[in-house]
Amino acid sequence: MKLEIGRIHIKDIQFGDSTFVEDGVLTVDKAGLIASLKEDERIKDVQVDIARPGEKVRIIPVKDVIEPRVKVEGTGAGFPGVTSKTTQCGQGRTHVLYGAAVVTVGDIVGFQEGVIDMWGEGAKWTPFSKTYNVTVDIQVVEGLEVHTHEETVRLAGLRAAEFIGQAGKEVEPDEVLTYELGGMFEETAKYPNLPKVLYVEMMITQGLLHDTYIYGVNAQTILPSVMHPNEELDNAVISGNCVAACDKITTYQHQNNSVILDLYAQHGKELNFTGVIMVPEHTTLSGKLRVADYTVKLAKMLGADGVIVSEEGYGNPDSDLLMICKKLEDAKIKTVLITDECAGRDGLSQPLADTAAEAVAVVSTGNVSHVVTLPPAEKVIGNPESIAVLAGGWKGAVLEDGTMMCELNAVIGATSEIGYHNVTCRLY
Amino acid sequence: MREMIITNNPLVVEKYSERVLFIDGSVEQVLIKVRDMVHRKHGLISHPLPASLRVLFSPYRSVIIGRNNGDINPLQVEIVENSILKYKKHMDVREVDKENNEDYQMIDLTLLESALKDEQVNSMLSGY
């Protein structure tokens, strides 16, 4: 399977009468976008705004972030199985408005959080302070059942990204990246001496506000499934997750999954990238055991020498992570885990809710309990009342001048467990 | 009765009254009751913790407990004990979010129902 990603570098964004890119400036037809979204009769009102890097703007509560794209060659247009009919994605050519993002905002429940600060201290912690963001704030019609409400906002974000992505259709990209991986036997014949490495990607799949979709299929209903990495890079995986702001995988992060990109970079050099297994995280212990056994079986069938496992969320998914690790190591498959830590404000507590002696290679993507101080914003996009939710966890979190303290937990993508974020390690 | 829901969520009590052991108290008290049941050889069907910190601040929690297995399951004991330690550690520096009680009740119910659905599939497969 061969996928070309043509990146059109976006350097600024503005509203206009039509949607197009010229000299790196993305112009968005605001009225056209709103009219297109309102074709969904469940949507009562839409506010569309722009947030640029450096502006004293706070976006809250963020639901999802999506990269605007368009398919220019081959099948798999849009988000297959969701905004368009199901066709095979992961091949052909896709143009990306690189540096732009659609950010959906909207209260579905009162305790939602998820903040993006475009400037200052907050901007340091979220990767989406560096993107030129079109914010889409959705109000739905009254009386909508909560699952339908969530679906409406989720689909609106995807449709907005598709609408804006069309601007890249006729534009010559600034760079073209090629991702090509043949069948497993083919690649192994090419690189017989390199270790076969699989990527196991865990997804939150536990019900309302805690879901992930693959080709539109709710991943709660699947057994662990083998995927070609190109499919995820080409819109097959969608986030329906509105909790765990710091470590949920937004749709944007699925589209740009750092683990996949890094494994691709080492393919044929240090390792043989054998594929991706998508693994649902259940709430029941029997579900967790079933998934762990099934994943290890697939890894064995595919002849993996090594596996990299990334988690999504914190708490009960820690059990899945360590069960999978233990069973893989027992099967003599070397295993590396990627997870964030919930290690208390001083970083000294036990980082996960579970432990296993077999977890000997663990990459930490940051401490979600780390406290950050965010100055007041000049402009808030979304619901200013959500700021109280954000800071409402303990006394003294909001100072007189409006400065507030919150944990990284509330900042979108701050401790991304697939490594698409700003935190890194430094040697002293 | 094969399984029982230990909960402090009134919405769950309303909907599943025949299968509920209601705890008129905090999430911590729910977790402690779950731990006691696991020590008394009941199976732990659903994980005591949610999947995110935000839901950890919820005032409501429902956990599914199975029948008496006749044996203590050490893995399950470890999971429930660790869950309580982890919960207390977080709540030492946080307050339960009481501003959004109704939403937390609704989310707790929907997450519980996901688990119940999964269990039904399993019980069909294992023949009871």
Side-chain angles (χ1 to χ4, degrees):
Chain A
M1 205 175 237
K2 181 180 171 186
L3 172 69
E4 287 180 338
I5 296 276
R7 282 180 172 174
I8 300 158
H9 293 187
I10 300 301
K11 299 179 214 100
D12 200 4
I13 200 164
Q14 61 187 21
F15 290 129
D17 294 331
S18 59
T19 303
F20 61 96
V21 177
E22 198 173 63
D23 299 328
V25 178
L26 169 64
T27 302
V28 176
D29 171 10
K30 185 175 171 178
L33 173 59
I34 291 172
S36 155
L37 294 178
K38 282 177 123 176
E39 282 171 18
D40 184 339
E41 58 197 19
R42 300 172 295 185
I43 295 177
K44 184 171 75 179
D45 205 6
V46 185
Q47 262 110 43
V48 175
D49 212 331
I50 289 172
R52 298 179 184 84
E55 292 178 340
K56 289 191 173 175
V57 174
R58 172 166 297 150
I59 315 170
I60 185 170
V62 173
K63 186 186 182 297
D64 196 13
V65 185
I66 308 117
E67 186 168 62
R69 295 161 156 215
V70 62
K71 195 65 160 174
V72 293
E73 208 181 286
T75 57
F79 293 89
V82 185
T83 60
S84 56
K85 64 177 181 184
T86 306
T87 51
Q88 184 63 55
C89 63
Q91 54 196 5
R93 183 153 163 173
T94 300
H95 282 182
V96 168
L97 303 185
Y98 182 69
V102 169
V103 177
T104 47
V105 186
D107 281 313
I108 295 162
V109 289
F111 58 80
Q112 237 170 289
E113 56 190 6
V115 64
I116 294 175
D117 273 3
M118 298 303 290
W119 89 107
E121 177 68 16
K124 286 199 319 208
W125 297 97
T126 173
F128 303 112
S129 61
K130 295 186 186 69
T131 44
Y132 289 86
N133 297 328
V134 178
T135 61
V136 178
D137 188 349
I138 306 285
Q139 274 88 49
V140 297
V141 294
E142 309 226 330
L144 214 55
E145 193 269 332
V146 67
H147 288 85
T148 316
H149 184 170
E150 188 280 325
E151 182 188 88
T152 306
V153 180
R154 169 161 37 90
L155 294 184
L158 302 174
R159 285 168 51 225
E162 224 180 315
F163 181 94
I164 295 167
Q166 287 292 331
K169 196 156 190 174
E170 307 294 339
V171 180
E172 193 57 40
D174 295 289
E175 57 179 328
V176 177
L177 308 169
T178 304
Y179 301 101
E180 187 170 14
L181 201 61
M184 281 162 206
F185 295 113
E186 200 183 317
E187 295 297 325
T188 306
K190 263 197 262 178
Y191 310 111
N193 298 319
L194 293 179
K196 295 189 282 298
V197 177
L198 270 173
Y199 172 34
V200 168
E201 182 176 357
M202 295 167 54
M203 309 163 283
I204 294 188
T205 54
Q206 308 200 337
L208 181 63
L209 309 187
H210 293 72
D211 282 321
T212 308
Y213 298 83
I214 304 175
Y215 288 103
V217 174
N218 186 339
Q220 201 182 345
T221 61
I222 68 165
L223 287 165
S225 297
V226 179
M227 245 183 28
H228 193 288
N230 287 6
E231 296 178 277
E232 181 162 357
L233 297 181
D234 200 25
N235 289 4
V237 188
I238 283 156
S239 168
N241 182 358
C242 316
V243 290
C246 64
D247 55 17
K248 74 173 178 186
I249 310 172
T250 61
T251 300
Y252 189 105
Q253 289 162 308
H254 283 297
Q255 293 169 311
N256 294 277
N257 189 316
S258 306
V259 181
I260 291 179
L261 297 182
D262 284 358
L263 283 168
Y264 251 123
Q266 296 306 321
H267 178 66
K269 295 175 190 156
E270 287 193 10
L271 51 85
N272 175 6
F273 184 14
T274 311
V276 183
I277 305 177
M278 302 301 286
V279 177
E281 296 170 355
H282 294 291
T283 54
T284 59
L285 267 58
S286 58
K288 290 176 186 302
L289 282 164
R290 180 178 67 225
V291 156
D293 283 337
Y294 206 98
T295 302
V296 174
K297 179 208 68 187
L298 286 177
K300 286 203 274 194
M301 284 177 71
L302 300 172
D305 299 302
V307 169
I308 296 176
V309 190
S310 69
E311 187 183 2
E312 186 178 16
Y314 161 82
N316 77 57
D318 294 358
S319 292
D320 308 53
L321 181 77
L322 292 162
M323 275 182 204
I324 292 171
C325 173
K326 186 179 184 327
K327 286 169 185 278
L328 282 170
E329 287 281 343
D330 286 349
K332 307 278 182 253
I333 299 172
K334 289 191 166 59
T335 305
V336 176
L337 307 180
I338 312 176
T339 178
D340 54 7
E341 300 182 50
C342 219
R345 294 196 178 159
D346 56 5
L348 295 175
S349 305
Q350 182 190 306
L352 297 176
D354 256 336
T355 52
E358 290 80 0
V360 289
V362 183
V363 179
S364 165
T365 59
N367 180 12
V368 311
S369 313
H370 179 78
V371 176
V372 286
T373 305
L374 305 178
E378 282 177 5
K379 176 179 168 185
V380 175
I381 295 175
N383 182 3
E385 283 176 21
S386 296
I387 294 169
V389 173
L390 196 79
W394 72 90
K395 288 192 182 77
V398 183
L399 306 180
E400 268 180 26
D401 68 349
T403 299
M404 65 166 186
M405 290 186 287
C406 72
E407 291 164 353
L408 276 189
N409 171 48
V411 180
I412 291 283
T415 61
S416 163
E417 292 165 292
I418 58 164
Y420 191 97
H421 67 321
N422 299 345
V423 176
T424 186
C425 294
R426 195 189 300 155
L427 281 176
Y428 290 95
Chain B
M1 190 187 296
R2 191 175 80 82
E3 66 213 11
M4 186 164 44
I5 304 157
I6 302 185
T7 186
N8 64 346
N9 181 353
L11 213 56
V12 172
V13 177
E14 209 173 286
K15 196 159 174 190
Y16 296 97
S17 58
E18 287 166 18
R19 306 167 66 181
V20 155
L21 177 64
F22 178 64
I23 304 292
D24 188 9
S26 65
V27 169
E28 190 178 330
Q29 285 168 292
V30 170
L31 297 185
I32 286 170
K33 184 69 190 174
V34 171
R35 179 197 64 190
D36 292 351
M37 300 285 282
V38 172
H39 277 287
R40 287 183 196 133
K41 304 176 183 175
H42 286 268
L44 180 65
I45 305 280
S46 66
H47 200 290
L49 293 179
S52 75
L53 263 187
R54 176 45 69 182
V55 182
L56 203 67
F57 306 146
S58 163
Y60 303 101
R61 189 77 189 140
S62 304
V63 181
I64 311 169
I65 286 292
R67 57 167 75 160
N68 190 320
N69 291 323
D71 279 317
I72 291 179
N73 182 322
L75 173 71
Q76 295 179 357
V77 169
E78 203 179 317
I79 286 174
V80 69
E81 295 282 7
N82 278 339
S83 298
I84 294 173
L85 285 176
K86 225 30 194 171
Y87 181 78
K88 285 168 79 162
K89 189 95 202 162
H90 286 298
M91 298 324 278
D92 278 351
V93 290
R94 297 289 303 215
E95 286 164 12
V96 170
D97 176 6
K98 290 181 180 153
E99 301 287 314
N100 299 289
N101 276 357
E102 283 183 16
D103 284 342
Y104 278 119
Q105 287 178 11
M106 181 271 295
I107 280 289
D108 178 63
L109 174 67
T110 62
L111 296 179
L112 169 75
E113 288 184 329
S114 295
L116 286 171
K117 220 162 38 182
D118 198 37
E119 266 323 289
Q120 277 167 6
V121 174
N122 278 317
S123 59
M124 275 190 296
L125 291 177
S126 57
Y128 55 76

